[in-house]
């Protein structure tokens, strides 16, 4: 008889939280660390874009320099994660702590030592690290020397960095992600953030701006990252056969605005180009046909070396991870009202409400997305970012009643369970910014995601003290009950 009983989430489900070095570590000049791309990005707001300053300007505020100072608070922070019952903790290694300029031949011992200490602290509480190797912080030295990932030379620098950290941490880290939101390079947003590429045509450098035809440069850079990622996967498996290496995609869920076949096809085309292009290469090991058509029709030429196709084939990832915050719609009608979103905006959906930053809240979209991805690849999935960026109010008694965040997360976890019930192999969930940190898109502190509040404002004022929000106690119960008590 077919056993069709639903067992709930797997017993060893990896509950946790997610962060990135450039947004929470601080200590930007400590322990021999070099400058990274994020260190030259100024603060901004919802309406004022962040700027890139090729030289650090005196008197200008750079949010990554201190961030929330995990560099000096890691023991306290990890203790709080353990109190919530985290099984895993997603963090990134700051490339410039290990290779300050990016192109050195020998690593910086002090940087390596810092992560020895962090991993030891996690081990103390049986928290499994999930490490992003590159999360929006290419060494700025590589930008200056090579224009970042626009040049093929950077591949070797990245592989050297991987070789160093894989060997050093081979007994303490099992799960690795090669590039955060690698598909951001398909959008102008990713040019500097993901690619470390400067497109200077005079004037102010805004990081989220399309300049002339940057697509040729971006897609070539993306190819370099694909090769780097594939080489890293192969190397990882050689160094430790137990290593599991994943891709990480910013999943930009988009629905057809109407049942007009034009809209349906447009939505599918966006899903393919924005989401599946990268994962097809990383999971299946080859460029899909729709990518070739897109390159052909847009005069984009991807320069490849003789054995690139082979490298891609031999470097397929073991699991698929993604960020999911919101969804939007696709329509051929240019007059429709639009709204913003993670990396990419789209047409407004009349059935959904949005966050204060205009990101449309869509828990059911997470179920749809999980099914959509799993139907295609049939490999284990992890949601490694999800959450609500909101303004929190500290009450007079110090409490923070973030019921809206609980509502958001609860609804998404419910849909995650539905997807597991649908047959999706989901192995973990790490909500974004489990501790308040700097926003990547705006550079703000005000846009908070955490279960843990950090006393710091947009201008850098505050004593950095940590406190538990209402959602902290709620999430602890969720983990304790393996998602049964929401
Ligand atoms: C993802 C990134 O795009 O979304 C994170 O991987 C980022 O680095 C997160 O912080 C939330 O976006 P934002 O702009 O609200 O910080």
């Amino acid at each position: 008889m077919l056993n069709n009983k639903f067992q709930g989430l797997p017993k060893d489900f990896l509950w946790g939280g997610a962060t990135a070095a450039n947004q929470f570590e601080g200590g930007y000049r400590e322990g021999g660390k070099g400058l990274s791309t994020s260190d030259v990005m100024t603060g901004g707001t919802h309406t004022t874009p962040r700027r890139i300053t090729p030289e650090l300007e005196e008197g200008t505020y750079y949010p990554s320099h201190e961030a929330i100072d995990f560099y000096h608070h890691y023991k306290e922070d990890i203790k709080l994660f353990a109190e919530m019952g985290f099984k895993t903790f997603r963090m990134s290694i700051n490339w410039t702590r290990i290779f300050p300029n990016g192109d050195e031949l020998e690593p910086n011992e002090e940087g390596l030592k810092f992560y020895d200490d962090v991993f030891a602290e996690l081990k103390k509480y049986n928290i499994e690290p999930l490490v992003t190797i590159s999360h929006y912080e290419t060494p700025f030295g590589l930008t200056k020397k090579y224009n970042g990932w626009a040049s093929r030379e950077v591949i070797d620098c990245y592989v050297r960095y991987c070789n160093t950290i894989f060997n050093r941490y081979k007994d303490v880290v099992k799960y690795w992600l090669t590039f955060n939101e690698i598909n951001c390079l398909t959008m102008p947003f990713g040019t500097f953030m993901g690619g470390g590429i400067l497109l200077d045509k005079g004037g102010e450098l805004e990081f989220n701006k399309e300049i002339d035809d940057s697509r040729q440069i971006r897609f070539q850079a993306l190819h370099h990252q694909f090769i780097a990622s594939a080489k890293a996967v192969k190397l990882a498996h050689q160094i430790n056969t137990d290593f599991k290496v994943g891709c990480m995609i910013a999943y930009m869920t988009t629905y057809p605005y109407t049942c007009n076949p034009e809209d349906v096809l447009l939505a599918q085309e966006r899903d393919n180009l924005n989401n599946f292009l990268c994962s097809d290469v990383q999971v299946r090991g080859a460029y899909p046909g729709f990518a070739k058509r897109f390159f052909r029709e847009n005069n984009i030429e991807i320069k490849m070396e003789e054995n690139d196709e082979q490298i891609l084939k031999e470097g397929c990832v073991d699991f698929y991870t993604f960020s999911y915050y919101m969804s939007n719609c696709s329509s051929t009608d240019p007059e429709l009202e639009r709204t913003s979103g993670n990396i990419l905006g789209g047409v407004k959906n009349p059935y959904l409400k949005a966050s204060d930053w205009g990101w449309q809240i869509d828990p059911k979209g997470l179920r749809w997305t999980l099914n959509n991805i799993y139907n295609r690849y049939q490999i284990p999935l992890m949601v490694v970012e999800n959450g609500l960026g909101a303004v929190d109010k500290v009450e007079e008694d110090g409490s923070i009643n973030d019921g809206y965040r609980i509502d958001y997360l609860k609804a998404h976890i419910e849909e995650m369970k539905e997807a597991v019930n649908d047959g999706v192999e989901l192995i973990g969930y790490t909500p974004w910014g489990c501790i308040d940190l700097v926003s990547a898109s705006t550079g703000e502190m005000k846009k908070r995601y955490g279960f843990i509040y950090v006393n710091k404002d947009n201008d850098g004022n505050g004593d950095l003290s940590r406190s538990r929000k209402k959602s902290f106690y709620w999430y602890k119960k969720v983990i304790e009950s393996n998602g049964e008590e929401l």
Side-chain angles (χ1 to χ4, degrees):
M1 226 189 16
L2 179 72
N3 180 358
N4 60 4
K5 201 165 165 245
F6 178 53
Q7 312 277 0
L9 291 173
K11 299 248 161 330
D12 51 358
F13 192 74
L14 290 168
W15 293 99
T19 57
N22 79 88
Q23 290 165 257
F24 92 136
E25 234 175 45
Y28 90 113
R29 277 306 205 193
E30 291 186 59
K33 184 187 168 307
L35 272 190
S36 76
T37 45
S38 63
D39 294 329
V40 299
M41 285 179 67
T42 68
T45 66
H46 189 20
T47 45
T48 324
R50 304 182 72 176
R51 283 184 305 118
I52 303 159
T53 66
E55 301 300 329
L56 290 183
E57 299 169 352
E58 246 193 82
T60 295
Y61 179 60
Y62 296 91
S64 75
H65 290 190
E66 183 188 53
I68 60 151
D69 198 28
F70 176 78
Y71 193 74
H72 295 108
H73 289 75
Y74 71 92
K75 289 193 178 169
E76 178 187 350
D77 293 344
I78 292 172
K79 195 166 177 218
L80 286 165
F81 301 150
E83 192 183 322
M84 275 187 278
F86 277 22
K87 313 283 180 217
T88 190
F89 174 53
R90 178 175 176 230
M91 52 179 273
S92 67
I93 292 184
N94 210 325
W95 187 347
T96 51
R97 283 202 192 284
I98 315 299
F99 290 97
N101 211 42
D103 62 349
E104 296 89 344
L105 298 180
E106 293 304 322
N108 168 35
E109 177 55 31
E110 241 185 303
L112 288 166
K113 172 79 178 54
F114 171 65
Y115 295 106
D116 283 341
D117 296 345
V118 170
F119 295 139
E121 202 61 23
L122 288 169
K123 192 154 178 75
K124 202 160 116 185
Y125 300 102
N126 274 326
I127 300 176
E128 182 86 52
L130 164 62
V131 175
T132 318
I133 298 167
S134 174
H135 191 134
Y136 294 160
E137 83 286 82
T138 309
F140 196 54
L142 296 180
T143 297
K144 284 195 181 150
K145 190 163 173 186
Y146 297 118
N147 205 13
W149 284 96
S151 303
R152 198 169 167 111
E153 276 85 351
V154 176
I155 298 175
D156 286 348
C157 302
Y158 176 86
V159 174
R160 192 176 311 118
Y161 161 51
C162 288
N163 190 29
T164 306
I165 57 175
F166 289 163
N167 277 301
R168 177 80 168 215
Y169 308 123
K170 67 172 184 295
D171 299 323
V172 286
V173 177
K174 176 176 168 189
Y175 295 102
W176 302 90
L177 305 177
T178 52
F179 288 94
N180 180 63
E181 302 192 330
I182 191 166
N183 56 329
C184 72
L185 261 175
T186 64
M187 312 285 152
F189 175 90
T191 318
F192 189 68
M193 292 283 271
I197 300 164
L198 277 177
L199 298 171
D200 187 5
K201 291 282 161 75
E204 295 264 277
L205 289 168
E206 279 177 24
F207 84 96
N208 192 7
K209 212 175 192 178
E210 184 76 282
I211 301 175
D212 292 348
D213 187 17
S214 65
R215 277 200 299 206
Q216 170 64 41
I217 302 175
R218 282 192 278 114
F219 280 95
Q220 185 63 48
L222 186 58
H223 178 70
H224 297 148
Q225 292 196 347
F226 288 152
I227 297 294
S229 171
K231 284 186 165 190
V233 173
K234 193 173 170 186
L235 182 67
H237 292 147
Q238 283 162 356
I239 292 174
N240 185 343
T241 47
D242 285 341
F243 275 175
K244 298 280 177 223
V245 191
C247 60
M248 194 314 196
I249 305 290
Y251 208 98
M252 297 172 248
T253 302
T254 187
Y255 305 129
Y257 186 73
T258 68
C259 53
N260 179 341
E262 298 285 343
D263 282 356
V264 177
L265 271 173
L266 183 66
Q268 185 178 53
E269 186 183 296
R270 298 230 163 117
D271 198 22
N272 280 342
L273 287 173
N274 300 343
N275 300 316
F276 284 136
L277 189 159
C278 292
S279 49
D280 278 4
V281 176
Q282 292 188 290
V283 177
R284 294 172 162 169
Y287 279 94
F290 62 77
K292 293 178 186 166
R293 175 177 183 165
F294 171 74
F295 295 151
R296 198 160 56 233
E297 292 181 350
N298 290 281
N299 298 322
I300 295 169
E301 279 179 40
I302 307 295
K303 271 195 232 102
M304 295 188 46
E305 289 193 354
E306 217 181 306
N307 56 350
D308 277 8
E309 285 186 356
Q310 189 61 24
I311 293 173
L312 294 179
K313 269 204 193 77
E314 289 173 0
C316 297
V317 293
D318 304 304
F319 65 112
Y320 177 113
T321 79
F322 66 106
S323 58
Y324 176 86
Y325 292 90
M326 33 70 56
S327 70
N328 58 41
C329 297
S330 294
S331 166
T332 49
D333 180 353
E335 301 300 321
L336 289 169
E337 193 184 347
R338 299 181 63 83
T339 186
S340 66
N342 185 25
I343 301 189
L344 187 68
V347 172
K348 218 168 164 179
N349 185 333
Y351 300 99
L352 300 178
K353 294 205 172 86
S355 77
D356 292 346
W357 277 262
W359 297 17
Q360 298 183 127
I361 301 169
D362 182 14
K364 288 202 188 313
L366 178 56
R367 177 178 176 187
W368 181 89
T369 303
L370 282 160
N371 273 284
N372 197 37
I373 301 166
Y374 193 67
N375 287 345
R376 194 172 184 105
Y377 301 125
Q378 311 261 304
I379 59 172
L381 310 185
M382 239 195 247
V383 179
V384 295
E385 286 187 30
N386 172 237
L388 180 72
V391 178
D392 290 333
K393 181 166 175 263
V394 185
E395 305 295 344
E396 274 186 14
D397 64 357
S399 63
I400 297 142
N401 298 308
D402 56 343
Y404 37 89
R405 183 166 294 110
I406 297 175
D407 292 345
Y408 176 101
L409 295 170
K410 179 176 180 291
H412 283 77
I413 296 172
E414 268 161 6
E415 296 302 327
M416 247 165 45
K417 285 164 67 178
E418 290 294 333
V420 173
N421 202 352
D422 292 332
V424 171
E425 194 185 345
L426 181 66
I427 59 171
Y429 178 61
T430 57
W432 176 248
C434 47
I435 179 164
D436 290 347
L437 39 64
V438 174
S439 155
S441 57
T442 67
E444 292 167 291
M445 270 307 294
K446 188 174 138 192
K447 190 180 187 190
R448 296 172 186 275
Y449 287 87
F451 303 114
I452 302 164
Y453 184 86
V454 177
N455 180 17
K456 183 169 178 178
D457 68 16
N458 274 1
D459 304 315
N461 309 307
D463 64 5
L464 293 170
S465 60
R466 276 64 168 150
S467 50
R468 298 166 184 79
K469 302 183 196 176
K470 189 175 177 187
S471 57
F472 179 100
Y473 302 102
W474 169 81
Y475 194 47
K476 183 174 168 9
K477 268 209 276 164
V478 173
I479 298 180
E480 247 164 35
S481 65
N482 201 28
E484 288 304 308
E485 247 183 83
L486 294 174

